């Protein structure tokens, strides 16, 4: 009996000794979430295209803007340093999947194709796809007037498929459709092309159009919109739902406190819709 008790005691002691090791493995497994990894690393790496004023753009060599203000709050709540990379938009989504950065914090339109591959955060803004022409343009007074015209937007943006769909719609109605669709690396390049007469019209997000006309008065005008009302969000990898949830919570805090509205009035002069549900298309991750 004494030997039995001793053996039992030894097994109990062995299990107790192993408990801290088990707990350490459990903690390590818990730390496998991206939020924990970022906190342990002490830095969050973010991919941005800083060429979409006033959402995110460069001023005096620094990335600033509406989304930068939101990002600064999110990073402060993580308690880490920010390493923000300024990259062409066309490389951001592939770079995110390749794990070159943790988060794509640039204004990204929500559509069904992207939502099936990437995980969107709750929206930070919303917009219409508006047609902008030169102020002295008399040939284009409504969206249908872009039949046969040279139109531009940003390559691989959410606006590109909107124009392509509208082109088909015009042709289905017996029109010529868009005469030529020119695609530029960034939205500011489309503004320059319009001002210089390289194109007849551009299609951009309505908040950017408002800021463009404010910055360069009497140069451009909006003649209408095409496609559906859309939302702008940030993007994470599908497996990083913990980071998405963290960001969604922080955007919610900004909205509930009134700070989000304050930032919108600061950068745009008006309030945008930023719902916490109902913004994702069917089948979204």
């Amino acid at each position: 009996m004494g030997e039995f008790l001793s053996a039992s005691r030894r097994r109990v002691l062995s299990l107790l000794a192993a408990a801290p090791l088990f707990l350490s493995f459990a903690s390590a497994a818990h730390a496998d979430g991206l939020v924990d990894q970022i906190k342990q690393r002490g830095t969050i790496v973010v991919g941005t295209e800083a060429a979409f004023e006033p959402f995110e753009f460069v001023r005096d060599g620094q990335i600033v803007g509406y989304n930068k203000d939101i990002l600064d709050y999110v990073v402060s709540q993580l308690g880490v340093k920010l390493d923000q990379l300024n990259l062409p938009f066309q490389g951001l989504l592939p770079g995110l999947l390749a794990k070159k950065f943790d988060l794509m914090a640039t204004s990204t339109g929500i559509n069904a194709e992207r939502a099936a591959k990437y995980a969107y955060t709750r929206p930070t803004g919303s917009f219409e796809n508006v047609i902008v022409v030169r102020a002295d343009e008399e040939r284009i007074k409504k969206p249908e007037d872009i039949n046969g015209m040279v139109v531009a937007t940003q390559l691989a943006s959410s606006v590109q498929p909107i124009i392509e769909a509208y082109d088909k719609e015009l042709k289905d109605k017996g029109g010529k459709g868009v005469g030529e669709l020119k695609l530029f690396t960034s939205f500011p390049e489309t503004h320059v092309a319009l001002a210089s007469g390289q194109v007849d019209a551009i299609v951009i997000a309505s908040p950017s159009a408002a800021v463009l006309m404010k910055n360069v008065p009497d140069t451009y005008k909006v003649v209408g919109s095409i496609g559906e009302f859309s939302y702008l969000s940030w993007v994470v990898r599908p497996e990083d739902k913990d980071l998405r949830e963290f960001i969604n919570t922080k955007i919610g805090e900004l909205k509930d406190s009134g700070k989000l509205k304050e930032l919108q009035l600061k950068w745009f002069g008006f309030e945008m819709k930023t719902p916490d549900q109902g913004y994702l298309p069917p089948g979204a991750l």
Side-chain angles (χ1 to χ4, degrees):
M1 176 68 91
E3 290 180 0
F4 173 76
L5 290 174
S6 297
S8 298
R9 188 179 294 111
R10 283 196 297 271
R11 282 195 294 271
V12 170
L13 292 174
S14 177
L15 289 171
L16 290 174
L21 183 60
F22 172 78
L23 291 174
S24 69
F25 278 125
S27 298
H30 179 66
D32 283 345
L34 184 55
V35 171
D36 286 335
Q37 292 176 27
I38 289 168
K39 288 181 177 180
Q40 289 179 3
R41 188 196 311 151
T43 302
I44 182 170
V45 184
V46 175
T48 298
E49 184 209 32
F52 195 41
E53 186 179 357
F55 288 95
E56 47 267 326
F57 62 105
V58 176
R59 176 191 289 164
D60 299 327
Q62 301 294 320
I63 297 176
V64 298
Y66 168 70
N67 272 335
K68 179 59 164 56
D69 286 350
I70 298 174
L71 180 61
D72 284 344
Y73 176 73
V74 171
V75 174
S76 73
Q77 297 301 293
L78 281 168
V80 299
K81 295 180 180 179
L82 171 63
D83 181 6
Q84 190 169 16
L85 310 176
N86 185 8
L87 303 167
F89 184 83
Q90 295 76 16
L92 288 175
L93 289 171
L96 180 68
L97 287 187
K99 298 189 175 182
K100 293 183 178 179
F101 33 87
D102 303 308
L103 163 70
M104 177 178 168
T106 205
S107 302
T108 309
I110 297 176
N111 60 42
E113 181 181 359
R114 287 177 181 164
K117 297 179 183 178
Y118 308 97
Y120 283 105
T121 67
R122 63 181 288 179
T124 61
S126 52
F127 70 102
E128 291 182 287
N129 303 286
V130 296
I131 300 174
V132 179
V133 300
R134 290 180 294 276
D136 60 358
E137 176 62 72
E138 295 297 329
R139 299 168 300 166
I140 306 174
K141 297 182 179 180
K142 57 186 183 299
E144 305 92 281
D145 293 339
I146 64 173
N147 266 302
M149 298 293 181
V150 181
V151 181
T153 195
Q154 184 185 36
L155 174 66
S157 67
S158 62
V159 183
Q160 182 182 343
I162 297 296
I163 300 177
E164 292 170 344
Y166 189 64
D167 173 57
K168 183 178 183 301
E169 181 182 328
L170 290 173
K171 290 175 180 175
D172 289 345
K173 292 180 179 179
K176 296 179 181 178
V178 173
E180 181 184 357
L181 177 58
K182 289 193 173 184
L183 301 172
F184 292 85
T185 304
S186 66
F187 278 116
E189 291 178 86
T190 69
H191 311 162
V192 174
L194 180 59
S196 64
Q198 297 177 54
V199 301
D200 302 308
I202 61 175
V203 183
I204 61 176
S206 51
S208 290
V211 172
L212 175 64
M213 291 186 290
K214 177 182 177 182
N215 291 344
V216 193
D218 304 320
T219 303
Y220 307 101
K221 62 183 178 183
V222 173
V223 296
S225 64
I226 59 175
E228 297 180 352
F229 183 86
S230 303
Y231 294 107
L232 292 166
S233 297
W234 295 347
V235 184
V236 301
R237 289 181 291 273
E239 64 267 26
D240 296 329
K241 291 183 172 60
D242 62 322
L243 179 58
R244 174 167 66 173
E245 183 58 34
F246 184 88
I247 293 169
N248 285 351
T249 298
K250 298 310 165 186
I251 294 174
E253 290 174 0
L254 289 173
K255 185 170 184 178
D256 292 344
S257 69
K259 182 64 177 179
L260 197 66
K261 178 180 179 180
E262 181 183 320
L263 291 176
Q264 290 172 358
L265 294 176
K266 168 188 172 183
W267 289 104
F268 303 99
F270 54 87
E271 188 176 2
M272 292 181 287
K273 295 180 181 178
T274 54
D276 61 355
Q277 57 185 352
Y279 53 86
L280 291 173
L285 295 174

